[in-house]
Amino acid sequence: MNETTSVTAQGEVKGLVGFVKFIISELKPRGKVFTPFNIISGAIILLGAVLIIYRFAKGLGAATNLSQDYPWGLWIGFDVVTGVAFAGGAYTLTCMVYIFGAKKYSPIIRATVLSGFLAYAFYAGALLLDLGRPWNIINPIIGNAFGLSSVLFLVAWHFMLYMITELVEFSPAIAEWLGWKKLRKFLMGLTLGAVIFGITLSILHQSGLGALYLLAKGKIHPLWYSEFIPLLFFVSSIFAGVSLVIFEGTISHRVFKDLINPNLHASYEKIVAGLGKIALGAMFVYLFLKILVFIHGKNWEYISSPMGYWYLVEILGFVLLPLIIYIAGVKGGSIGLIRAASIITIVGIIINRLNVSIIAYKWDAPIRYFPSWIEIEITLAVICAEIWAFRWVIKRMPVLNERPDYKWMH
Amino acid sequence: MPKGVLVDLSRCVGCRGCQVACKQWNQLPAEQTTWQGSYENPPDISPNTYTKVRFVEGNHREQFFWRFYKTQCKHCLEPACVSACLVKAMEKKPGGPVTYDEHRCMGCRYCMIACPFNTPKFEYDKAIPRIRKCQFCFDRQEVGRQPACVQTCPSGTLKFGERNELLDVAKIRIYKEPNKYVHHIYGEHEAGGTSWLYISDVPFEKLGFPTNIGTAPYPGLTKDFLYAVPIIFIAVPSLLLGISYIKNRRNEDK
């Protein structure tokens, strides 16, 4: 019994037994198993799994450096707050392709939506590790107690709805993989609605993640606290997401060389240049807003202090500098410069989100928070697991290429 | 009518009877502590210590002072923790107490981020943890009794009653002895007003009371954002639908 019996000549997976057989055969690894990357990341994931059990058995205090002063640490500040910002590429690009009709981005749309979906599934999933009483996460969903005045309530619902939306956007690829033509046609019809709903949800929860910190007035350093955090989080999620798409594309193009459609190879440089343009536009708006907030808050007095210098490093080194490099790259048509700018931008977003959530949070506390090795190790395990999931899908479903009877890279 | 407690710091002798009474009523275990260089213990309120008397030494009007003040949840009139809680585990009772229900709580600790007084504490050392804080003895209040700490206070520092009436009492005390008292009732307006009110003969900032809290209620900080949500939910989809319709028609024309 092998997979040929579960799939018809037309490539369609038939019946429940056929489906199960097909999935089992697809779960088997493809390509070389014992590569250096697999061995290292596999060890990290394995250790992470053990430590997750330890965390639930012993409580958060044993596994993390969280304290009464710092209730939110790396798992929220990096995994959730930063991870979700990087997932912003999906709504930006679906907006470009399906709303503004910029079809040149179509070849990378599936990879972007997939990585966005996995980012939510894994990084927002890491939220469960951080909850003290995770089984009660169903409470805000089933509605026995709706905390409607809570920004977190809004963010929780939007996370959930947006994951479903992204799955719908990606679902035609799954239908193609299974060879289910009728279902694919139906799912393709849902795309525009899902895209519009998804963009709306993204605007609200990207800004909502920032709005969470509005209640921490007096706890976050004034250089990072303002009533404009939600707007700043939203605008920065655009260039955070786009920069990650550029960076991810660089790696995907090396690793998945054989899988990539020739058309995508041909138009790739044009796509990257276009992405660079989107990123620099959003960054320009962001920098302008940052300066406005700075002047509006009368923040000059804080600049000549350690936190002030750190603020300048963030703004000049990780917003202004990559913005200039992006401009140079787009004007000179240099893919290398655009890639360099995307990497600096990614580092800058990590710094910014950690600043708001951890570094500038109770910046004057006598004992500062620094993550424990277990927190860092589990975070690495989550990232590795996400890469494994991404690779698994890329190698099996039509994401970077299209099958002859299913055209979608117009 | 909302209840409150008036704390007159000039009357406190630092006996910590309130701390003990609180532990007894709430059946909270003792804490292993170490010498902190002061008679106060433990170092801060914690999951097992809802209230704690702080000892402060300093100088005021060129006079040495040694003052004691009780810290616990202030039971805000418009609590930040209640507005932050997405499962209504934190609730504001009509009579004043801000209570916590562990059966609803998912342990996200957003209440701890939100509280301007850093009151809610989390049981980090437990596999099944809870948020812990003073609940204003709401169970005692329901049967017409005053909170355990007030009941036990021997010096008349703590006075339980209607918040409005306590404000009058506080004002009369300040009015009668204007040179003794600081002309400020801490909690009358802080964070939009709290159920617990403090008057003192030493300035509050010298005692280490948080003075950067302001008088606006904390839930107001996220109100504008939450009001914008339904507007965005209507405006953005219709805008996007319109743009995609125009763009796609143009593409078809080509």
Side-chain angles (χ1 to χ4, degrees):
Chain A
M1 288 288 216
N2 57 31
E3 72 181 276
T4 48
T5 53
S6 59
V7 183
T8 65
Q10 290 79 33
E12 188 183 351
V13 178
K14 276 236 176 209
L16 186 65
V17 179
F19 179 76
V20 172
K21 277 183 191 159
F22 178 70
I23 296 292
I24 291 171
S25 76
E26 286 288 81
L27 279 174
K28 285 179 195 146
R30 300 244 173 113
K32 248 183 98 183
V33 178
F34 292 102
T35 61
F37 172 79
N38 280 356
I39 293 167
I40 295 168
S41 58
I44 291 173
I45 293 171
L46 215 63
L47 180 60
V50 174
L51 290 171
I52 287 170
I53 296 169
Y54 174 74
R55 172 258 169 272
F56 279 109
K58 293 280 173 182
L60 278 165
T64 70
N65 279 347
L66 296 173
S67 63
Q68 305 296 354
D69 269 340
Y70 289 92
W72 286 358
L74 190 72
W75 289 347
I76 299 290
F78 182 78
D79 299 20
V80 179
V81 176
T82 313
V84 167
F86 286 135
Y91 80 86
T92 310
L93 283 194
T94 52
C95 184
M96 292 305 294
V97 171
Y98 297 107
I99 307 296
F100 294 124
K103 301 288 181 207
K104 73 169 165 180
Y105 300 111
S106 314
I108 60 163
I109 199 75
R110 280 191 179 173
T112 308
V113 171
L114 173 65
S115 80
F117 171 73
L118 292 176
Y120 278 90
F122 280 84
Y123 303 146
L127 184 71
L128 285 173
L129 304 176
D130 196 74
L131 292 179
R133 310 169 70 84
W135 54 91
N136 278 341
I137 198 166
I138 54 159
N139 280 352
I141 301 164
I142 59 174
N144 61 347
F146 272 3
L148 289 172
S149 62
S150 173
V151 177
L152 197 56
F153 178 81
L154 178 115
V155 171
W157 263 92
H158 285 196
F159 269 17
M160 195 181 64
L161 292 175
Y162 188 55
M163 276 170 69
I164 296 169
T165 311
E166 281 193 311
L167 195 59
V168 171
E169 288 170 19
F170 185 73
S171 59
I174 300 172
E176 288 170 23
W177 173 57
L178 296 167
W180 294 349
K181 274 192 176 148
K182 274 187 191 161
L183 185 69
R184 177 189 184 264
K185 206 178 165 204
F186 170 74
L187 292 170
M188 290 285 268
L190 296 178
T191 302
L192 182 65
V195 164
I196 289 174
F197 191 47
I199 295 166
T200 313
L201 289 170
S202 293
I203 292 173
L204 286 171
H205 74 242
Q206 291 287 359
S207 55
L209 277 178
L212 285 179
Y213 289 95
L214 289 176
L215 276 176
K217 184 175 165 249
K219 295 185 187 176
I220 296 175
H221 191 282
L223 283 170
W224 284 273
Y225 183 91
S226 83
E227 67 249 62
F228 298 103
I229 303 181
L231 187 60
L232 293 170
F233 265 50
F234 163 61
V235 176
S236 55
S237 75
I238 298 173
F239 62 78
V242 171
S243 296
L244 195 82
V245 173
I246 296 172
F247 176 69
E248 207 172 62
T250 310
I251 295 172
S252 295
H253 259 70
R254 286 207 193 127
V255 180
F256 305 116
K257 220 184 296 169
D258 316 333
L259 294 171
I260 291 170
N261 189 296
N263 288 338
L264 175 54
H265 262 310
S267 63
Y268 185 63
E269 298 217 340
K270 257 193 213 161
I271 291 176
V272 172
L275 292 173
K277 248 184 242 172
I278 300 171
L280 85 83
M283 275 180 109
F284 188 79
V285 174
Y286 179 74
L287 187 64
F288 182 75
L289 285 171
K290 270 282 193 188
I291 294 168
L292 219 62
V293 168
F294 182 82
I295 296 167
H296 180 76
K298 300 184 184 74
N299 285 340
W300 284 109
E301 53 176 314
Y302 304 114
I303 282 295
S304 56
S305 69
M307 288 308 275
Y309 305 143
W310 180 233
Y311 177 81
L312 288 178
V313 168
E314 184 195 317
I315 298 302
L316 300 178
F318 292 96
V319 183
L320 185 63
L321 179 69
L323 175 59
I324 293 168
I325 300 175
Y326 262 131
I327 293 172
V330 169
K331 282 214 160 181
S334 158
I335 299 292
L337 281 180
I338 293 175
R339 278 179 184 158
S342 76
I343 292 168
I344 303 172
T345 307
I346 287 167
V347 176
I349 285 292
I350 294 172
I351 290 175
N352 172 259
R353 294 303 197 263
L354 291 184
N355 272 341
V356 173
S357 60
I358 297 170
I359 298 167
Y361 183 85
K362 291 197 181 165
W363 76 100
D364 52 354
I367 300 167
R368 296 300 314 268
Y369 161 84
F370 191 83
S372 70
W373 71 269
I374 296 181
E375 286 177 87
I376 296 170
E377 172 15 73
I378 290 180
T379 298
L380 289 175
V382 170
I383 295 172
C384 290
E386 196 230 353
I387 294 172
W388 279 29
F390 186 72
R391 186 178 59 178
W392 186 85
V393 177
I394 291 272
K395 284 195 171 174
R396 284 159 184 81
M397 299 184 197
V399 176
L400 293 171
N401 51 16
E402 56 183 356
R403 291 180 185 172
D405 41 348
Y406 302 112
K407 294 285 178 198
W408 55 273
M409 287 185 177
H410 324 285
Chain B
M1 288 302 284
K3 300 283 186 192
V5 172
L6 176 64
V7 187
D8 188 336
L9 298 193
S10 72
R11 298 185 179 187
C12 182
V13 295
C15 72
R16 291 160 290 180
C18 50
Q19 227 173 289
V20 176
C22 175
K23 287 236 174 195
Q24 281 181 340
W25 179 257
N26 293 299
Q27 299 185 343
L28 299 170
E31 280 186 57
Q32 186 80 44
T33 57
T34 50
W35 171 245
Q36 301 281 323
S38 159
Y39 290 108
E40 59 185 317
N41 237 338
D44 198 358
I45 57 168
S46 74
N48 289 327
T49 306
Y50 292 168
T51 186
K52 180 223 148 145
V53 179
R54 283 190 189 283
F55 286 40
V56 189
E57 292 162 41
N59 270 293
H60 178 53
R61 290 182 184 147
E62 292 173 11
Q63 285 255 311
F64 173 78
F65 71 78
W66 195 24
R67 286 292 173 280
F68 324 102
Y69 72 88
K70 183 181 176 309
T71 56
Q72 75 296 307
C73 175
K74 309 285 184 291
H75 300 277
C76 302
L77 301 184
E78 292 182 56
C81 58
V82 172
S83 84
C85 187
L86 75 164
V87 290
K88 285 193 171 163
M90 289 283 181
E91 266 189 307
K92 177 77 179 167
K93 291 257 151 69
V98 177
T99 58
Y100 166 75
D101 179 0
E102 66 195 61
H103 301 295
R104 286 178 174 177
C105 176
M106 56 192 241
C108 73
R109 308 187 293 289
Y110 188 32
C111 52
M112 298 169 73
I113 299 275
C115 175
F117 301 103
N118 295 310
T119 298
K121 302 292 176 195
F122 185 75
E123 293 177 318
Y124 284 105
D125 54 341
K126 290 196 177 160
I128 300 179
R130 294 165 293 179
I131 291 285
R132 309 287 270 161
K133 76 184 238 338
C134 160
Q135 316 226 33
F136 208 176
C137 286
F138 75 96
D139 43 357
R140 291 173 62 92
Q141 287 199 43
E142 271 172 4
V143 292
R145 299 173 76 180
Q146 41 184 359
C149 55
V150 179
Q151 177 104 38
T152 207
C153 180
S155 63
T157 306
L158 304 178
K159 188 176 167 64
F160 176 75
E162 298 290 330
R163 186 174 181 273
N164 286 343
E165 289 169 17
L166 291 174
L167 278 171
D168 288 341
V169 173
K171 280 170 190 164
I172 289 165
R173 283 190 201 168
I174 295 171
Y175 177 76
K176 275 189 180 162
E177 292 178 277
N179 294 327
K180 177 181 161 191
Y181 285 106
V182 176
H183 298 188
H184 181 70
I185 304 169
Y186 192 95
E188 185 181 9
H189 300 300
E190 272 74 12
T194 60
S195 302
W196 280 66
L197 305 163
Y198 292 79
I199 54 173
S200 168
D201 54 347
V202 171
F204 290 104
E205 60 271 19
K206 285 194 179 175
L207 295 168
F209 276 67
T211 50
N212 62 347
I213 281 166
T215 56
Y218 266 57
L221 293 169
T222 51
K223 229 168 230 167
D224 288 348
F225 177 79
L226 291 168
Y227 282 159
V229 171
I231 299 169
I232 288 175
F233 242 113
I234 294 165
V236 171
S238 40
L239 188 73
L240 293 175
L241 207 59
I243 295 171
S244 76
Y245 178 70
I246 294 166
K247 284 277 178 186
N248 287 333
R249 210 173 51 177
R250 213 178 279 163
N251 283 351
E252 279 164 21
D253 290 347
K254 274 179 198 169

